[in-house]
Amino acid sequence: MSLTKAKMAEALFDELGLNKREAKGLVELFFEEIRGALENGQQVKLSGFGNFDLREKNSRPGRNPKTGEEILVSARRVVTFRPGQKLKARVETYAGSE
Amino acid sequence: MTKSELIEAIARQQAHLAHRDVELAVKCILEQMSQSLAGGERIEVRGFGSFSLHYRPPRMGRNPKTGEPVALAGKYVPHFKPGRELRERVDKRYQESLKNV
């Protein structure tokens, strides 16, 4: 089982009394706004949860894992997530069976 | 962009909703995400990415002040893997900006 957009919308319906269409729209916008900010080169900081940072990577030599052929991995910008203290503390104690 | 800026941005596009409702909704979504991970449950959002837990095995650490060795228990840490749409959009804009220099 995993948390999905559908389940998040369900909780907005149950807990905040938003109608299903509004709830779905809000969840959609939540992720779209974060994507949009990152696309525009803006870091996203959600206190209590964590930060979505951007990193620029230089091009580097690599290999096609299937053919073994050498290729140049081009320079790119990637998104990284740094969990905040609060989230880290909540997750750390998970005694799971994974 | 901070949490309050995110709330503002969403509220601008959902003018029919009370600002307070948008604020509560954003907090509710983030709380669900935190709770999920705290319970060892993955989060999967197509086009955005997935969050899961990675295990860090027990190790010997050191007290940075006294230099004394301390045993650190194994723990879980949150991990995010960006989805294809997010990866592509973020990089596409970057490639364009490289060309225009």
Side-chain angles (χ1 to χ4, degrees):
Chain A
M1 286 307 275
S2 53
L3 179 64
T4 59
K5 284 194 292 187
K7 283 195 207 166
M8 295 177 201
E10 191 68 30
L12 296 184
F13 169 76
D14 290 339
E15 290 173 34
L16 301 181
L18 299 177
N19 73 43
K20 298 217 168 162
R21 192 178 41 82
E22 287 170 340
K24 210 171 156 236
L26 268 176
V27 172
E28 206 58 60
L29 258 180
F30 173 86
F31 291 105
E32 180 50 30
E33 283 300 326
I34 297 175
R35 270 195 300 254
L38 293 169
E39 183 175 28
N40 290 328
Q42 224 188 343
Q43 175 201 38
V44 177
K45 305 201 293 189
L46 304 173
S47 72
F49 188 72
N51 297 352
F52 293 94
D53 296 328
L54 293 162
R55 292 182 60 177
E56 272 99 54
K57 300 220 174 182
N58 290 326
S59 62
R60 59 182 169 84
R63 243 172 229 288
N64 179 327
K66 272 205 189 119
T67 65
E69 191 191 350
E70 284 194 36
I71 41 165
L72 188 68
V73 180
S74 57
R76 61 192 61 194
R77 177 183 278 165
V78 297
V79 176
T80 60
F81 176 68
R82 288 196 45 151
Q85 283 307 318
K86 210 168 143 193
L87 179 62
K88 275 203 247 177
R90 285 176 75 173
V91 162
E92 208 165 286
T93 53
Y94 172 65
S97 53
E98 284 179 328
Chain B
M1 175 185 256
T2 61
K3 197 194 292 178
S4 48
E5 286 165 350
L6 173 62
I7 292 166
E8 291 306 324
I10 297 173
R12 273 198 297 276
Q13 292 173 72
Q14 300 279 294
H16 59 287
L17 283 179
H19 189 276
R20 178 84 187 134
D21 280 340
V22 176
E23 189 181 335
L24 289 173
V26 165
K27 290 183 174 164
C28 177
I29 293 170
L30 287 170
E31 178 52 29
Q32 283 186 76
M33 291 171 74
S34 299
Q35 250 177 39
S36 236
L37 292 173
E41 190 189 35
R42 291 170 57 86
I43 304 169
E44 284 182 46
V45 180
R46 187 164 305 155
F48 185 79
S50 60
F51 296 84
S52 58
L53 300 188
H54 280 187
Y55 182 64
R56 296 276 176 267
R59 61 186 178 92
M60 289 304 286
R62 256 173 216 290
N63 178 329
K65 270 202 189 125
T66 64
E68 222 163 297
V70 271
L72 297 172
K75 64 174 183 179
Y76 286 90
V77 294
H79 177 77
F80 174 66
K81 182 169 188 276
R84 184 196 281 186
E85 184 191 338
L86 177 59
R87 260 194 339 256
E88 290 181 352
R89 280 172 62 177
V90 162
D91 191 48
K92 183 163 183 260
R93 196 63 73 80
Y94 179 60
Q95 300 299 337
E96 286 164 8
S97 73
L98 289 182
K99 267 181 230 151
N100 296 332
V101 171

